[in-house]
Amino acid sequence: MAGKSKLLKVVLLGDGGVGKSSLMNRFVSNKFDAQSFHTIGVEFLNKDVEVDSEAYTMQIWDTAGQERFKSLRTPFYRGADCCLLTYAVDDLQSFKNLAMWKKEFLFYADIQDGNSFPFVVLGNKIDVENRLVPEEEAKAWCAANGGSPYFETSAKDSTNVDRAFKSAVQRLRELEDRMDIKPAHGNTVDLQKKSKSNPGCCG
Amino acid sequence: MTAHTQIQYEKESVFIHINVSDAKDKDAHIPGRVFLMNKPEGVYLEWKAEEVISLDGAQSDQDWTMVRSVAYRNDRDSDAVSSMNAKMDSRRKYNISFDILDLKSFKRSAPNHGWAYIIFILKDGTTFPALHFHNGGSKALLKEFEKYVHIRRSPNDSRLFIVIEHDPEMLSKSFDELQLFSDSSGDLVSKFIKDPYTATMGGFSKVTNFLRNVLILEDNPTTRPQEEVADILQEDIPGMEISQQESGFEMITKTKLPPRPTVTRGDALLPGQWALHLDSEGKIKNKEDLLERIFRGGIEPSIRIEVWKYLLCYYTWDSNHKTRQEQRKRNVDDYFRMKLQWKTISAAQEKRFATLRERKGLIDKDVTRTDRTQKFYQGENNQNLLVLNDILMTYCMYNFDLGYVQGMSDLLSPVLVVMENEVDAFWCFAGLMERLCGNFEMDQNGMKVQLAQIHKLMLVYDPELCHYLESHDSGNFYFCFRWILIMFKREFHFHEIQRLWEVMWTDKPCKNFHLIISLAILDSEKSTLMENNFGFTEILKHINDISLSIPLEDTLKKAEGIFLQLKKYKKLPNDIKEILGLDVSPNNSSSSSAHPTPTGTPVNRENSPRLELPLHISNGMNNSGSGTAATTPDDSSIEILTDTVDSAINNYYH
Ligand SMILES: Nc1nc2c(ncn2[C@@H]2O[C@H](COP(=O)(O)OP(=O)(O)OP(=O)(O)O)[C@@H](O)[C@H]2O)c(=O)[nH]1
Ligand SMILES: [Mg+2]
């Protein structure tokens, strides 16, 4: 925080109980609290990172996953620089809901082109024994969704947590570079706007 | 610690209080050490939990009892070592470490507080739990701090100290941002003439804060006479009236509320007194007296199990021994009938019953994350979690339309702890949900209405803070969401929440008292929010972080005081009266209900009858509705601003 670094807003999404808050706390303070509460409202933590020798402050936003609180959660999507879509490998439904989360995010963050937005997908609780979502299936989903990077994490034993969060920054840099190379990018906006204004979406 | 790290300061016996109620509870205060460390990457303040020494004979008595209490809780867990490790983990999570360049301000305990504590607040709004210096040493630490940062005392809150930004680059940046001395500064002035309200709140409060900082930062530390400061202000704000006697320089608009009366709180209702409230048939003699008593002092824990049943509509107020016995019997039958409804759903049925499956999953996940630090719910395979689960599942059958919504497990948990019985806890919870079900509606409208009501109340009670929040994207009071949704459950310690709730269940002194409690808490945080110039994210973070460090009795006193101020205020708008359930007098028809203030939209300031224009300068925060200003001596002279911490502290304790 003390130095000069670029502020990145990162939104953590996923079903209730998949481990969003635990991942955030592991990443930011390297702690895992087995007695933690479920999230009510919105919380965020800042973390300074260095990616490719550039300094960033990641401002990580964590919300409650239940459908009921959607209207109080979605205003926080605006202005996000990247989004971590999270499920738990022992919770099939949470994996199936990834598409819903992505759609909700794109709609309320008002992002035209979902494929050039940096999503990273996290399969959490990799330490548990009764895994229900095969890694291949998750990877296939990512491939079909703009080739988002995929990480299997454990907030509990800290597997891959650091890498997953930092990869969000890398992904952002990557996609920004790509946009710089393609100056004609603006031409595609119209089309995407059309598809976005689909009224049924997430409404 | 590496060879490069130098310890500038170290102090043992610095505690974090995680459960202040129970002094006997060895887990209530976590012992630790504070360090000020010179590291290669900067100067860091750290607090580390004291390590629990291993199980050989070398440990102190205190450690032994600590280990024993863990073993007692996990009675099935004979492995004391692993439980000790778990304990250490759960303590380490409180560890604190920050670069002191990130420090924005800190709050000290009031002088009459038993031991000194300090609450540190960072630039991003992060607010750490209070560090209690049981063995002294807080002054010495702050003296060390002085070597690295400049500190001044808030003119408005004598407990609050602000770190002054002394990076020259930062200063010129603020100049640029304000464009105070460029051509466009005239802009601000013309804006002011057109729309004094917005310009003042948005621009000038920045200017005044800013000037204050500049003045303090003068190389020559002698204080400037107030007139001079006023002159500077006057140059930029033509036509402004400046009250020379007063010491703050915040522009405010005042609601002239009557002064806040002194409020006293009483003792808890004791078992003997409770018995006297019942006649020979077991009927309550005087409900109003009883409620007044509970409002004033709460209930002694041992009789909550009885009294809460009235407050939560399990028993009616005119019930007697006999009718209550019948009631209980009906309640038992009813409860198990509903419990059987979901218990008898087969696995095959459940496969085709998505709603039930979903609710079951949610409840299951939330129950394991509800008050697990409380003894009652601690440890793996704790049976009480099953009871929580069953009550919530049964509630889904009782109120299928509402179902289970996150937050309900928080509401049930203290009720179950008091009732110690599944059926009674269920019905009391159902009674509690009668009060709060609006918070959990699908469209969240109940929540939105209440947040908007806090806004309305704040606009009358303290327009200055209200406009500060509005101009920092916080006019929707979203940061109060958790407070309202679960009645401050996460903001106070467990035993305090039981007290707060029983007080609120009396429905005294007015309707929606919880909204006034919100005002009271925000009033106490006002200086911290405004003088640190916190924006949307910092406000949100600070408010999230002060949970568990809000003083309950003081807050209740302040809240009642605020209510009395509002009640006495002759020009109290009708919509506010309606929120508080006060008589709406017909001759006060110039009410503002003609222009309501829906959530999110700015209020119509021009027509607002409760605001006294034109604006004037006064010593700001103390005056805007807090009656204490009249009685407490004003300790906020500008001299204090330039004081070193040391003398400020001496002043403070003189
Ligand atoms: N085994 C295991 N458990 C985990 C892991 N991460 C989180 N948990 C546990 O899973 C539960 C849910 O974790 P949270 O971090 O509260 O989940 P969340 O996504 O923030 O949930 P909401 O706040 O309800 O949206 C908690 O009991 C955690 O202790 C993990 O990597 N492995
Ligand atoms: Mg969470």
Side-chain angles (χ1 to χ4, degrees), chain B residues 598-627:
Chain B
T599 330
T601 47
V603 285
N604 188 344
R605 288 159 189 149
E606 303 284 331
N607 300 334
S608 209
R610 49 213 160 202
L611 303 167
E612 314 228 336
L613 297 169
L615 322 170
H616 51 276
I617 294 180
S618 81
N619 70 333
M621 302 162 182
N622 271 341
N623 264 5
S624 58
S626 73

Side-chain angles (χ1 to χ4, degrees), chain B residues 43 50 286 382 402 459 503 549 634:
Chain B
V43 180
E50 212 87 62
N286 189 330
N382 184 314
L402 190 59
L459 192 60
V503 167
S549 59
D634 191 357

Side-chain angles (χ1 to χ4, degrees), chain B residues 449-484:
Chain B
V449 166
Q450 290 174 86
L451 296 179
Q453 286 173 335
I454 297 180
H455 186 192
K456 284 182 191 174
L457 286 161
M458 186 60 92
L459 192 60
V460 172
Y461 170 64
D462 186 348
E464 185 191 29
L465 178 56
C466 192
H467 289 291
Y468 179 85
L469 294 170
E470 282 173 13
S471 59
H472 291 78
D473 305 314
S474 301
N476 53 19
F477 286 77
Y478 183 84
F479 51 86
C480 299
F481 179 79
R482 188 174 71 192
W483 295 2
I484 303 301

Side-chain angles (χ1 to χ4, degrees), chain B residues 34 40 42 75 91 149 365 396 414 472 533 546 584 588 592:
Chain B
V34 163
D75 40 11
R91 288 177 164 206
V149 289
K365 280 178 195 157
C396 286
H472 291 78
N533 200 22
I546 59 170
V584 179
N588 193 2
S592 60

Side-chain angles (χ1 to χ4, degrees), chain A residues 1-2 4 16 31 33 35-38 40 42-46 61 66 68-69 72 76 91, chain B residues 93 95 102 124 169 362 365 369 371 373 404 406 440-442 444 478 481 490 536-537 541 544:
Chain A
M1 254 190 297
K4 276 182 197 151
K31 290 172 192 164
D33 183 1
Q35 300 175 322
S36 67
F37 284 86
H38 65 78
I40 291 182
V42 184
E43 289 168 13
F44 75 92
L45 289 174
N46 285 345
W61 289 81
Q66 198 175 3
R68 188 86 42 141
F69 300 118
L72 293 140
F76 291 90
D91 177 352
Chain B
K93 76 181 179 206
N95 282 359
D102 289 333
D124 69 354
E169 224 176 296
L362 263 175
K365 280 178 195 157
R369 293 182 289 166
D371 287 321
T373 53
Y404 174 76
Q406 285 196 308
F440 297 99
E441 286 161 9
M442 198 58 195
Q444 284 291 292
Y478 183 84
F481 179 79
R490 302 254 181 114
F536 172 75
T537 51
K541 188 163 202 70
N544 272 342

Side-chain angles (χ1 to χ4, degrees), chain B residues 233-252:
Chain B
L233 282 174
Q234 214 138 20
E235 275 167 30
D236 285 290
I237 310 163
M240 285 311 295
E241 262 188 30
I242 290 158
S243 152
Q244 305 272 338
Q245 309 93 294
E246 297 180 83
S247 54
F249 300 98
E250 210 62 54
M251 315 275 307
I252 64 150

Side-chain angles (χ1 to χ4, degrees), chain A residues 20-21 37-39 62-63, chain B residues 369:
Chain A
K20 298 180 293 296
S21 305
F37 284 86
H38 65 78
T39 309
D62 175 31
T63 66
Chain B
R369 293 182 289 166

